[in-house]
Amino acid sequence: MPNHIIAPSILSANFAQLGNDIEMINKSEADWFHIDVMDGVFVPNISFGFPVMKSLQKLATKTLDVHLMIVQPERYITDFKDAGANILSVHYEACTHLHRTIYAIKEAGMKAGVAINPHTPIDLLKDIIADTDLICMMSVNPGFGGQKFIENTYNKCADLKNFIIQKNSHCFIEIDGGVNEITAPKLLKAGADVLVAGNYVFSSNNPTATIASLKAL
Ligand code: DX5
Ligand code: ZN
């Protein structure tokens, strides 16, 4: 039985009919909803905020995995908890006091994730990995769906897996960006636990079947 987690990214959903896409994910073999929040400062794009998240919260029946691509994410921790987040990931590059922010997320009752940009070395996670529930490894530069996968991610993922084992950590590795039928099997082999997929799922003719095919790998 496959035990990896599939997290469709609603960034690529049809926002004019978001309810339909949420229902599709509810009924599919997906495990989580991946929710990308962008502020136009940390990344060169603006996605959506609390009104959309609260609508999602009402309809979604699965874990809400929220990926904050915003500066000063510590300002909004309880707001995201109230908007239904179960997992809250902040960017390493956006946090001056990352340890404090991780503990504030946990104290608010959520799992805490740390997202890293493609240029950020995993060595920098040494003193935080034991406190973190999930590392969201960006396999594209954050900001947009449908970008080209960065090939260095395979080695980086395998290195992080070894690092997590060495540290006796139970942290999940989530890969975000460019996941498809070519990259997904290699990522699972390299130790990925969670695969985020936006464009690959929502641009396919049958998103439910595409999710099932990722789950079956
Ligand atoms: C990018 C986002 C991703 C994005 C993935 O900044 O964090 O979650 O939706 O998109 P795809 O799967 O289309 O590369
Ligand atoms: Zn994301």
Side-chain angles (χ1 to χ4, degrees), residues 5 7 32 34 63-67 86-92 98 102 105-106 110-116 125 128-138 160 164 169-176 193-196:
I5 288 167
W32 297 352
H34 184 80
T63 295
L64 302 189
D65 168 40
V66 179
H67 175 195
N86 303 107
I87 304 165
L88 193 63
S89 295
V90 295
H91 262 267
Y92 179 92
L98 182 59
I102 285 173
I105 293 170
K106 290 182 172 184
M110 295 172 283
K111 298 272 186 205
V114 174
I116 55 169
L125 302 170
I128 205 71
I129 199 97
D131 302 299
T132 309
D133 298 303
L134 175 146
I135 300 295
C136 174
M137 183 179 280
M138 293 309 303
L160 179 59
I164 286 171
S169 153
H170 298 289
C171 182
F172 278 177
I173 303 177
E174 175 177 71
I175 306 291
D176 191 3
D193 303 293
V194 185
L195 300 177
V196 173

mmCIF file of all heavy atoms in Angstrom, residues 5 7 32 34 63-67 86-92 98 102 105-106 110-116 125 128-138 160 164 169-176 193-196:
data_model
loop_
_atom_site.group_PDB
_atom_site.id
_atom_site.type_symbol
_atom_site.label_atom_id
_atom_site.label_comp_id
_atom_site.label_asym_id
_atom_site.label_seq_id
_atom_site.Cartn_x
_atom_site.Cartn_y
_atom_site.Cartn_z
ATOM 1 N N ILE A 5 1.868 10.877 0.800
ATOM 2 C CA ILE A 5 0.723 11.794 0.880
ATOM 3 C C ILE A 5 0.639 12.621 -0.399
ATOM 4 O O ILE A 5 1.666 13.117 -0.882
ATOM 5 C CB ILE A 5 0.900 12.688 2.126
ATOM 6 C CG1 ILE A 5 0.654 11.837 3.375
ATOM 7 C CG2 ILE A 5 0.011 13.928 2.098
ATOM 8 C CD1 ILE A 5 1.086 12.489 4.654
ATOM 9 N N ALA A 7 -0.974 15.991 -2.049
ATOM 10 C CA ALA A 7 -1.570 17.275 -1.654
ATOM 11 C C ALA A 7 -1.787 18.158 -2.889
ATOM 12 O O ALA A 7 -0.886 18.894 -3.295
ATOM 13 C CB ALA A 7 -0.662 17.971 -0.637
ATOM 14 N N TRP A 32 -4.380 15.648 1.440
ATOM 15 C CA TRP A 32 -4.410 17.001 1.983
ATOM 16 C C TRP A 32 -4.816 18.001 0.891
ATOM 17 O O TRP A 32 -4.706 17.706 -0.300
ATOM 18 C CB TRP A 32 -3.003 17.452 2.452
ATOM 19 C CG TRP A 32 -2.392 16.661 3.559
ATOM 20 C CD1 TRP A 32 -2.956 15.686 4.328
ATOM 21 C CD2 TRP A 32 -1.036 16.798 4.028
ATOM 22 N NE1 TRP A 32 -2.046 15.213 5.243
ATOM 23 C CE2 TRP A 32 -0.859 15.876 5.083
ATOM 24 C CE3 TRP A 32 0.053 17.613 3.658
ATOM 25 C CZ2 TRP A 32 0.356 15.751 5.772
ATOM 26 C CZ3 TRP A 32 1.261 17.485 4.331
ATOM 27 C CH2 TRP A 32 1.404 16.561 5.389
ATOM 28 N N HIS A 34 -3.364 21.523 -0.396
ATOM 29 C CA HIS A 34 -2.214 22.428 -0.266
ATOM 30 C C HIS A 34 -2.676 23.832 -0.663
ATOM 31 O O HIS A 34 -3.234 24.031 -1.743
ATOM 32 C CB HIS A 34 -1.066 21.956 -1.162
ATOM 33 C CG HIS A 34 0.189 22.763 -1.013
ATOM 34 N ND1 HIS A 34 1.082 22.569 0.026
ATOM 35 C CD2 HIS A 34 0.691 23.775 -1.764
ATOM 36 C CE1 HIS A 34 2.080 23.432 -0.100
ATOM 37 N NE2 HIS A 34 1.867 24.173 -1.178
ATOM 38 N N THR A 63 -7.185 17.462 5.614
ATOM 39 C CA THR A 63 -6.170 18.330 6.232
ATOM 40 C C THR A 63 -5.870 19.547 5.365
ATOM 41 O O THR A 63 -5.654 19.412 4.151
ATOM 42 C CB THR A 63 -4.879 17.496 6.439
ATOM 43 O OG1 THR A 63 -5.175 16.473 7.379
ATOM 44 C CG2 THR A 63 -3.712 18.333 6.931
ATOM 45 N N LEU A 64 -5.850 20.721 5.975
ATOM 46 C CA LEU A 64 -5.473 21.941 5.255
ATOM 47 C C LEU A 64 -4.003 22.258 5.540
ATOM 48 O O LEU A 64 -3.630 22.580 6.671
ATOM 49 C CB LEU A 64 -6.357 23.122 5.663
ATOM 50 C CG LEU A 64 -7.873 22.970 5.469
ATOM 51 C CD1 LEU A 64 -8.571 24.308 5.712
ATOM 52 C CD2 LEU A 64 -8.233 22.442 4.082
ATOM 53 N N ASP A 65 -3.206 22.130 4.493
ATOM 54 C CA ASP A 65 -1.755 22.313 4.557
ATOM 55 C C ASP A 65 -1.461 23.685 3.941
ATOM 56 O O ASP A 65 -1.526 23.841 2.721
ATOM 57 C CB ASP A 65 -1.116 21.168 3.748
ATOM 58 C CG ASP A 65 0.351 21.356 3.474
ATOM 59 O OD1 ASP A 65 1.069 21.823 4.377
ATOM 60 O OD2 ASP A 65 0.799 21.009 2.350
ATOM 61 N N VAL A 66 -1.165 24.657 4.798
ATOM 62 C CA VAL A 66 -1.057 26.041 4.327
ATOM 63 C C VAL A 66 0.420 26.430 4.185
ATOM 64 O O VAL A 66 1.197 26.300 5.136
ATOM 65 C CB VAL A 66 -1.794 26.997 5.288
ATOM 66 C CG1 VAL A 66 -1.668 28.442 4.805
ATOM 67 C CG2 VAL A 66 -3.269 26.595 5.395
ATOM 68 N N HIS A 67 0.773 26.914 3.007
ATOM 69 C CA HIS A 67 2.139 27.309 2.680
ATOM 70 C C HIS A 67 2.168 28.830 2.550
ATOM 71 O O HIS A 67 1.648 29.382 1.586
ATOM 72 C CB HIS A 67 2.523 26.610 1.361
ATOM 73 C CG HIS A 67 3.856 26.998 0.802
ATOM 74 N ND1 HIS A 67 4.215 26.708 -0.501
ATOM 75 C CD2 HIS A 67 4.922 27.630 1.354
ATOM 76 C CE1 HIS A 67 5.437 27.148 -0.730
ATOM 77 N NE2 HIS A 67 5.890 27.719 0.379
ATOM 78 N N ASN A 86 -4.394 23.268 9.425
ATOM 79 C CA ASN A 86 -3.927 22.177 10.291
ATOM 80 C C ASN A 86 -2.404 22.133 10.331
ATOM 81 O O ASN A 86 -1.809 21.782 11.341
ATOM 82 C CB ASN A 86 -4.438 20.824 9.782
ATOM 83 C CG ASN A 86 -5.943 20.783 9.687
ATOM 84 O OD1 ASN A 86 -6.502 20.819 8.597
ATOM 85 N ND2 ASN A 86 -6.627 20.756 10.828
ATOM 86 N N ILE A 87 -1.806 22.450 9.176
ATOM 87 C CA ILE A 87 -0.341 22.527 9.077
ATOM 88 C C ILE A 87 -0.034 23.924 8.559
ATOM 89 O O ILE A 87 -0.654 24.369 7.589
ATOM 90 C CB ILE A 87 0.201 21.481 8.077
ATOM 91 C CG1 ILE A 87 -0.254 20.074 8.460
ATOM 92 C CG2 ILE A 87 1.730 21.557 7.983
ATOM 93 C CD1 ILE A 87 -0.062 19.046 7.352
ATOM 94 N N LEU A 88 0.910 24.600 9.199
ATOM 95 C CA LEU A 88 1.270 25.947 8.746
ATOM 96 C C LEU A 88 2.772 25.992 8.483
ATOM 97 O O LEU A 88 3.567 25.771 9.399
ATOM 98 C CB LEU A 88 0.875 26.982 9.812
ATOM 99 C CG LEU A 88 0.909 28.447 9.365
ATOM 100 C CD1 LEU A 88 -0.093 28.723 8.243
ATOM 101 C CD2 LEU A 88 0.613 29.387 10.541
ATOM 102 N N SER A 89 3.132 26.244 7.228
ATOM 103 C CA SER A 89 4.550 26.335 6.877
ATOM 104 C C SER A 89 4.931 27.774 6.590
ATOM 105 O O SER A 89 4.234 28.481 5.854
ATOM 106 C CB SER A 89 4.862 25.486 5.636
ATOM 107 O OG SER A 89 4.654 24.123 5.902
ATOM 108 N N VAL A 90 6.059 28.166 7.172
ATOM 109 C CA VAL A 90 6.605 29.505 6.949
ATOM 110 C C VAL A 90 7.938 29.342 6.222
ATOM 111 O O VAL A 90 8.590 28.296 6.343
ATOM 112 C CB VAL A 90 6.832 30.247 8.286
ATOM 113 C CG1 VAL A 90 5.498 30.502 8.983
ATOM 114 C CG2 VAL A 90 7.788 29.479 9.225
ATOM 115 N N HIS A 91 8.359 30.360 5.499
ATOM 116 C CA HIS A 91 9.636 30.250 4.793
ATOM 117 C C HIS A 91 10.808 30.558 5.716
ATOM 118 O O HIS A 91 10.774 31.541 6.473
ATOM 119 C CB HIS A 91 9.654 31.173 3.563
ATOM 120 C CG HIS A 91 9.323 30.427 2.314
ATOM 121 N ND1 HIS A 91 10.281 29.867 1.504
ATOM 122 C CD2 HIS A 91 8.131 30.086 1.802
ATOM 123 C CE1 HIS A 91 9.688 29.243 0.502
ATOM 124 N NE2 HIS A 91 8.374 29.353 0.656
ATOM 125 N N TYR A 92 11.819 29.712 5.620
ATOM 126 C CA TYR A 92 13.082 29.953 6.341
ATOM 127 C C TYR A 92 13.590 31.365 6.044
ATOM 128 O O TYR A 92 14.022 32.090 6.937
ATOM 129 C CB TYR A 92 14.119 28.909 5.871
ATOM 130 C CG TYR A 92 15.461 29.058 6.519
ATOM 131 C CD1 TYR A 92 15.770 28.357 7.672
ATOM 132 C CD2 TYR A 92 16.426 29.925 5.986
ATOM 133 C CE1 TYR A 92 17.000 28.518 8.288
ATOM 134 C CE2 TYR A 92 17.646 30.093 6.590
ATOM 135 C CZ TYR A 92 17.935 29.389 7.743
ATOM 136 O OH TYR A 92 19.143 29.558 8.351
ATOM 137 N N LEU A 98 13.009 32.166 13.601
ATOM 138 C CA LEU A 98 12.294 30.971 13.135
ATOM 139 C C LEU A 98 11.888 30.049 14.283
ATOM 140 O O LEU A 98 10.786 29.520 14.303
ATOM 141 C CB LEU A 98 13.172 30.227 12.119
ATOM 142 C CG LEU A 98 12.571 28.988 11.479
ATOM 143 C CD1 LEU A 98 11.279 29.326 10.725
ATOM 144 C CD2 LEU A 98 13.563 28.336 10.521
ATOM 145 N N ILE A 102 8.096 28.824 14.983
ATOM 146 C CA ILE A 102 7.697 27.412 14.982
ATOM 147 C C ILE A 102 6.941 27.075 16.269
ATOM 148 O O ILE A 102 5.895 26.421 16.241
ATOM 149 C CB ILE A 102 8.941 26.501 14.815
ATOM 150 C CG1 ILE A 102 9.410 26.565 13.365
ATOM 151 C CG2 ILE A 102 8.659 25.059 15.226
ATOM 152 C CD1 ILE A 102 10.701 25.849 13.108
ATOM 153 N N ILE A 105 3.457 28.519 16.298
ATOM 154 C CA ILE A 105 2.539 27.725 15.453
ATOM 155 C C ILE A 105 2.055 26.505 16.241
ATOM 156 O O ILE A 105 0.862 26.193 16.281
ATOM 157 C CB ILE A 105 3.241 27.300 14.138
ATOM 158 C CG1 ILE A 105 3.532 28.520 13.254
ATOM 159 C CG2 ILE A 105 2.411 26.256 13.386
ATOM 160 C CD1 ILE A 105 4.423 28.241 12.051
ATOM 161 N N LYS A 106 2.988 25.845 16.917
ATOM 162 C CA LYS A 106 2.616 24.653 17.699
ATOM 163 C C LYS A 106 1.706 25.027 18.859
ATOM 164 O O LYS A 106 0.735 24.332 19.150
ATOM 165 C CB LYS A 106 3.867 23.952 18.212
ATOM 166 C CG LYS A 106 4.662 23.292 17.101
ATOM 167 C CD LYS A 106 5.856 22.575 17.687
ATOM 168 C CE LYS A 106 6.559 21.750 16.637
ATOM 169 N NZ LYS A 106 7.654 20.985 17.206
ATOM 170 N N MET A 110 -1.285 23.854 15.737
ATOM 171 C CA MET A 110 -1.067 23.357 14.374
ATOM 172 C C MET A 110 0.275 22.627 14.299
ATOM 173 O O MET A 110 1.120 22.775 15.174
ATOM 174 C CB MET A 110 -1.049 24.538 13.388
ATOM 175 C CG MET A 110 -2.372 25.268 13.286
ATOM 176 S SD MET A 110 -2.272 26.788 12.291
ATOM 177 C CE MET A 110 -1.480 27.916 13.437
ATOM 178 N N LYS A 111 0.443 21.840 13.241
ATOM 179 C CA LYS A 111 1.761 21.285 12.934
ATOM 180 C C LYS A 111 2.574 22.402 12.284
ATOM 181 O O LYS A 111 2.020 23.212 11.527
ATOM 182 C CB LYS A 111 1.645 20.115 11.949
ATOM 183 C CG LYS A 111 0.835 18.947 12.480
ATOM 184 C CD LYS A 111 1.709 17.990 13.241
ATOM 185 C CE LYS A 111 0.943 16.747 13.644
ATOM 186 N NZ LYS A 111 1.522 16.108 14.821
ATOM 187 N N ALA A 112 3.874 22.410 12.567
ATOM 188 C CA ALA A 112 4.718 23.498 12.054
ATOM 189 C C ALA A 112 5.631 23.016 10.934
ATOM 190 O O ALA A 112 6.352 22.031 11.088
ATOM 191 C CB ALA A 112 5.555 24.064 13.193
ATOM 192 N N GLY A 113 5.581 23.728 9.822
ATOM 193 C CA GLY A 113 6.450 23.403 8.684
ATOM 194 C C GLY A 113 7.398 24.544 8.372
ATOM 195 O O GLY A 113 7.104 25.709 8.676
ATOM 196 N N VAL A 114 8.541 24.188 7.778
ATOM 197 C CA VAL A 114 9.485 25.199 7.295
ATOM 198 C C VAL A 114 9.686 24.972 5.808
ATOM 199 O O VAL A 114 10.009 23.847 5.390
ATOM 200 C CB VAL A 114 10.836 25.101 8.047
ATOM 201 C CG1 VAL A 114 11.859 26.059 7.441
ATOM 202 C CG2 VAL A 114 10.643 25.396 9.536
ATOM 203 N N ALA A 115 9.451 26.006 5.020
ATOM 204 C CA ALA A 115 9.659 25.907 3.569
ATOM 205 C C ALA A 115 11.012 26.509 3.224
ATOM 206 O O ALA A 115 11.428 27.502 3.838
ATOM 207 C CB ALA A 115 8.543 26.651 2.839
ATOM 208 N N ILE A 116 11.706 25.868 2.277
ATOM 209 C CA ILE A 116 13.008 26.409 1.850
ATOM 210 C C ILE A 116 13.030 26.611 0.341
ATOM 211 O O ILE A 116 12.582 25.760 -0.423
ATOM 212 C CB ILE A 116 14.207 25.531 2.308
ATOM 213 C CG1 ILE A 116 14.068 24.066 1.848
ATOM 214 C CG2 ILE A 116 14.404 25.618 3.820
ATOM 215 C CD1 ILE A 116 15.355 23.240 2.048
ATOM 216 N N LEU A 125 19.231 23.798 8.297
ATOM 217 C CA LEU A 125 18.113 23.287 9.093
ATOM 218 C C LEU A 125 18.579 22.518 10.328
ATOM 219 O O LEU A 125 17.764 22.064 11.133
ATOM 220 C CB LEU A 125 17.232 22.370 8.225
ATOM 221 C CG LEU A 125 16.649 23.019 6.962
ATOM 222 C CD1 LEU A 125 16.014 21.967 6.066
ATOM 223 C CD2 LEU A 125 15.620 24.086 7.343
ATOM 224 N N ILE A 128 17.110 23.211 13.716
ATOM 225 C CA ILE A 128 15.668 23.416 13.776
ATOM 226 C C ILE A 128 14.898 22.128 13.405
ATOM 227 O O ILE A 128 13.717 21.992 13.705
ATOM 228 C CB ILE A 128 15.273 24.615 12.850
ATOM 229 C CG1 ILE A 128 13.979 25.264 13.315
ATOM 230 C CG2 ILE A 128 15.216 24.248 11.388
ATOM 231 C CD1 ILE A 128 14.090 26.033 14.568
ATOM 232 N N ILE A 129 15.613 21.173 12.827
ATOM 233 C CA ILE A 129 14.929 20.000 12.267
ATOM 234 C C ILE A 129 14.167 19.201 13.329
ATOM 235 O O ILE A 129 13.072 18.700 13.076
ATOM 236 C CB ILE A 129 15.926 19.113 11.466
ATOM 237 C CG1 ILE A 129 15.182 18.181 10.512
ATOM 238 C CG2 ILE A 129 16.842 18.295 12.336
ATOM 239 C CD1 ILE A 129 15.088 18.674 9.130
ATOM 240 N N ALA A 130 14.719 19.106 14.529
ATOM 241 C CA ALA A 130 14.067 18.323 15.588
ATOM 242 C C ALA A 130 12.772 18.976 16.060
ATOM 243 O O ALA A 130 11.915 18.317 16.648
ATOM 244 C CB ALA A 130 15.024 18.145 16.759
ATOM 245 N N ASP A 131 12.614 20.262 15.796
ATOM 246 C CA ASP A 131 11.420 20.989 16.247
ATOM 247 C C ASP A 131 10.356 21.111 15.149
ATOM 248 O O ASP A 131 9.296 21.672 15.383
ATOM 249 C CB ASP A 131 11.819 22.412 16.672
ATOM 250 C CG ASP A 131 12.858 22.400 17.766
ATOM 251 O OD1 ASP A 131 12.565 21.861 18.837
ATOM 252 O OD2 ASP A 131 13.980 22.898 17.535
ATOM 253 N N THR A 132 10.683 20.611 13.962
ATOM 254 C CA THR A 132 9.839 20.863 12.790
ATOM 255 C C THR A 132 9.079 19.604 12.386
ATOM 256 O O THR A 132 9.638 18.513 12.396
ATOM 257 C CB THR A 132 10.756 21.321 11.625
ATOM 258 O OG1 THR A 132 11.581 22.370 12.101
ATOM 259 C CG2 THR A 132 9.977 21.810 10.443
ATOM 260 N N ASP A 133 7.808 19.751 12.029
ATOM 261 C CA ASP A 133 7.007 18.597 11.615
ATOM 262 C C ASP A 133 7.152 18.310 10.126
ATOM 263 O O ASP A 133 6.915 17.183 9.687
ATOM 264 C CB ASP A 133 5.518 18.852 11.928
ATOM 265 C CG ASP A 133 5.275 19.025 13.428
ATOM 266 O OD1 ASP A 133 5.638 18.098 14.186
ATOM 267 O OD2 ASP A 133 4.771 20.084 13.841
ATOM 268 N N LEU A 134 7.513 19.324 9.359
ATOM 269 C CA LEU A 134 7.536 19.157 7.901
ATOM 270 C C LEU A 134 8.520 20.152 7.291
ATOM 271 O O LEU A 134 8.586 21.304 7.729
ATOM 272 C CB LEU A 134 6.117 19.419 7.381
ATOM 273 C CG LEU A 134 5.809 19.450 5.892
ATOM 274 C CD1 LEU A 134 4.405 18.881 5.654
ATOM 275 C CD2 LEU A 134 5.861 20.855 5.320
ATOM 276 N N ILE A 135 9.299 19.686 6.331
ATOM 277 C CA ILE A 135 10.101 20.620 5.518
ATOM 278 C C ILE A 135 9.476 20.638 4.133
ATOM 279 O O ILE A 135 9.330 19.585 3.491
ATOM 280 C CB ILE A 135 11.586 20.173 5.392
ATOM 281 C CG1 ILE A 135 12.280 20.091 6.765
ATOM 282 C CG2 ILE A 135 12.347 21.123 4.447
ATOM 283 C CD1 ILE A 135 12.432 21.380 7.513
ATOM 284 N N CYS A 136 9.071 21.819 3.706
ATOM 285 C CA CYS A 136 8.524 21.985 2.357
ATOM 286 C C CYS A 136 9.688 22.421 1.470
ATOM 287 O O CYS A 136 10.146 23.558 1.552
ATOM 288 C CB CYS A 136 7.416 23.043 2.374
ATOM 289 S SG CYS A 136 6.796 23.437 0.735
ATOM 290 N N MET A 137 10.186 21.476 0.677
ATOM 291 C CA MET A 137 11.330 21.770 -0.178
ATOM 292 C C MET A 137 10.815 22.282 -1.512
ATOM 293 O O MET A 137 10.136 21.550 -2.239
ATOM 294 C CB MET A 137 12.158 20.489 -0.353
ATOM 295 C CG MET A 137 13.406 20.703 -1.175
ATOM 296 S SD MET A 137 14.358 19.162 -1.321
ATOM 297 C CE MET A 137 15.186 19.147 0.250
ATOM 298 N N MET A 138 11.142 23.514 -1.829
ATOM 299 C CA MET A 138 10.682 24.091 -3.092
ATOM 300 C C MET A 138 11.520 23.529 -4.242
ATOM 301 O O MET A 138 12.749 23.618 -4.226
ATOM 302 C CB MET A 138 10.804 25.624 -3.077
ATOM 303 C CG MET A 138 9.886 26.331 -2.099
ATOM 304 S SD MET A 138 8.141 25.877 -2.207
ATOM 305 C CE MET A 138 7.758 26.232 -3.919
ATOM 306 N N LEU A 160 18.465 15.428 2.420
ATOM 307 C CA LEU A 160 17.607 15.799 3.561
ATOM 308 C C LEU A 160 17.082 14.548 4.258
ATOM 309 O O LEU A 160 17.002 14.498 5.490
ATOM 310 C CB LEU A 160 16.450 16.705 3.095
ATOM 311 C CG LEU A 160 15.473 17.152 4.184
ATOM 312 C CD1 LEU A 160 16.169 17.926 5.304
ATOM 313 C CD2 LEU A 160 14.342 18.017 3.594
ATOM 314 N N ILE A 164 17.576 13.719 8.162
ATOM 315 C CA ILE A 164 16.437 13.505 9.068
ATOM 316 C C ILE A 164 16.623 12.191 9.838
ATOM 317 O O ILE A 164 16.398 12.117 11.050
ATOM 318 C CB ILE A 164 15.105 13.512 8.261
ATOM 319 C CG1 ILE A 164 14.762 14.940 7.844
ATOM 320 C CG2 ILE A 164 13.957 12.895 9.048
ATOM 321 C CD1 ILE A 164 13.605 15.065 6.869
ATOM 322 N N SER A 169 14.742 12.407 13.532
ATOM 323 C CA SER A 169 13.570 13.280 13.457
ATOM 324 C C SER A 169 12.439 12.544 12.723
ATOM 325 O O SER A 169 12.677 11.594 11.985
ATOM 326 C CB SER A 169 13.969 14.559 12.714
ATOM 327 O OG SER A 169 12.874 15.139 12.078
ATOM 328 N N HIS A 170 11.205 12.960 12.971
ATOM 329 C CA HIS A 170 10.064 12.351 12.269
ATOM 330 C C HIS A 170 9.472 13.309 11.249
ATOM 331 O O HIS A 170 8.339 13.144 10.807
ATOM 332 C CB HIS A 170 9.004 11.909 13.278
ATOM 333 C CG HIS A 170 9.504 10.867 14.210
ATOM 334 N ND1 HIS A 170 9.750 9.568 13.807
ATOM 335 C CD2 HIS A 170 9.877 10.932 15.508
ATOM 336 C CE1 HIS A 170 10.238 8.886 14.823
ATOM 337 N NE2 HIS A 170 10.327 9.686 15.872
ATOM 338 N N CYS A 171 10.270 14.307 10.927
ATOM 339 C CA CYS A 171 9.839 15.355 10.022
ATOM 340 C C CYS A 171 9.524 14.812 8.617
ATOM 341 O O CYS A 171 10.257 13.986 8.091
ATOM 342 C CB CYS A 171 11.046 16.290 9.969
ATOM 343 S SG CYS A 171 10.859 17.695 9.001
ATOM 344 N N PHE A 172 8.419 15.259 8.036
ATOM 345 C CA PHE A 172 8.055 14.870 6.672
ATOM 346 C C PHE A 172 8.803 15.734 5.657
ATOM 347 O O PHE A 172 9.004 16.923 5.895
ATOM 348 C CB PHE A 172 6.564 15.124 6.432
ATOM 349 C CG PHE A 172 5.644 14.042 6.936
ATOM 350 C CD1 PHE A 172 4.264 14.212 6.813
ATOM 351 C CD2 PHE A 172 6.112 12.874 7.504
ATOM 352 C CE1 PHE A 172 3.381 13.238 7.258
ATOM 353 C CE2 PHE A 172 5.229 11.893 7.949
ATOM 354 C CZ PHE A 172 3.874 12.074 7.827
ATOM 355 N N ILE A 173 9.128 15.141 4.527
ATOM 356 C CA ILE A 173 9.664 15.927 3.406
ATOM 357 C C ILE A 173 8.537 16.118 2.391
ATOM 358 O O ILE A 173 7.989 15.143 1.866
ATOM 359 C CB ILE A 173 10.854 15.231 2.709
ATOM 360 C CG1 ILE A 173 11.977 14.938 3.700
ATOM 361 C CG2 ILE A 173 11.350 16.077 1.534
ATOM 362 C CD1 ILE A 173 13.166 14.190 3.077
ATOM 363 N N GLU A 174 8.206 17.375 2.146
ATOM 364 C CA GLU A 174 7.185 17.709 1.153
ATOM 365 C C GLU A 174 7.870 18.370 -0.040
ATOM 366 O O GLU A 174 8.694 19.261 0.143
ATOM 367 C CB GLU A 174 6.184 18.693 1.778
ATOM 368 C CG GLU A 174 5.125 19.221 0.832
ATOM 369 C CD GLU A 174 4.121 20.127 1.555
ATOM 370 O OE1 GLU A 174 4.475 21.256 1.947
ATOM 371 O OE2 GLU A 174 2.969 19.689 1.728
ATOM 372 N N ILE A 175 7.549 17.917 -1.238
ATOM 373 C CA ILE A 175 8.142 18.520 -2.439
ATOM 374 C C ILE A 175 7.073 19.345 -3.145
ATOM 375 O O ILE A 175 5.971 18.863 -3.406
ATOM 376 C CB ILE A 175 8.721 17.451 -3.396
ATOM 377 C CG1 ILE A 175 9.709 16.529 -2.671
ATOM 378 C CG2 ILE A 175 9.356 18.116 -4.614
ATOM 379 C CD1 ILE A 175 11.007 17.159 -2.235
ATOM 380 N N ASP A 176 7.442 20.585 -3.448
ATOM 381 C CA ASP A 176 6.464 21.549 -3.956
ATOM 382 C C ASP A 176 6.961 22.208 -5.242
ATOM 383 O O ASP A 176 7.882 23.023 -5.208
ATOM 384 C CB ASP A 176 6.209 22.602 -2.863
ATOM 385 C CG ASP A 176 5.030 23.490 -3.195
ATOM 386 O OD1 ASP A 176 4.373 23.269 -4.225
ATOM 387 O OD2 ASP A 176 4.773 24.422 -2.403
ATOM 388 N N ASP A 193 7.978 12.371 1.289
ATOM 389 C CA ASP A 193 6.795 11.832 1.968
ATOM 390 C C ASP A 193 5.507 12.447 1.424
ATOM 391 O O ASP A 193 4.450 11.828 1.474
ATOM 392 C CB ASP A 193 6.850 12.156 3.475
ATOM 393 C CG ASP A 193 8.112 11.623 4.125
ATOM 394 O OD1 ASP A 193 8.245 10.396 4.199
ATOM 395 O OD2 ASP A 193 8.974 12.444 4.529
ATOM 396 N N VAL A 194 5.594 13.693 0.989
ATOM 397 C CA VAL A 194 4.403 14.427 0.549
ATOM 398 C C VAL A 194 4.682 15.030 -0.826
ATOM 399 O O VAL A 194 5.716 15.686 -1.013
ATOM 400 C CB VAL A 194 4.063 15.590 1.521
ATOM 401 C CG1 VAL A 194 2.755 16.272 1.112
ATOM 402 C CG2 VAL A 194 4.007 15.119 2.969
ATOM 403 N N LEU A 195 3.793 14.810 -1.767
ATOM 404 C CA LEU A 195 3.927 15.416 -3.093
ATOM 405 C C LEU A 195 2.807 16.431 -3.292
ATOM 406 O O LEU A 195 1.622 16.079 -3.242
ATOM 407 C CB LEU A 195 3.845 14.348 -4.193
ATOM 408 C CG LEU A 195 4.895 13.237 -4.165
ATOM 409 C CD1 LEU A 195 4.622 12.224 -5.283
ATOM 410 C CD2 LEU A 195 6.316 13.813 -4.308
ATOM 411 N N VAL A 196 3.202 17.677 -3.521
ATOM 412 C CA VAL A 196 2.235 18.729 -3.872
ATOM 413 C C VAL A 196 2.120 18.719 -5.394
ATOM 414 O O VAL A 196 3.125 18.598 -6.089
ATOM 415 C CB VAL A 196 2.751 20.111 -3.391
ATOM 416 C CG1 VAL A 196 1.846 21.231 -3.900
ATOM 417 C CG2 VAL A 196 2.854 20.137 -1.880
#
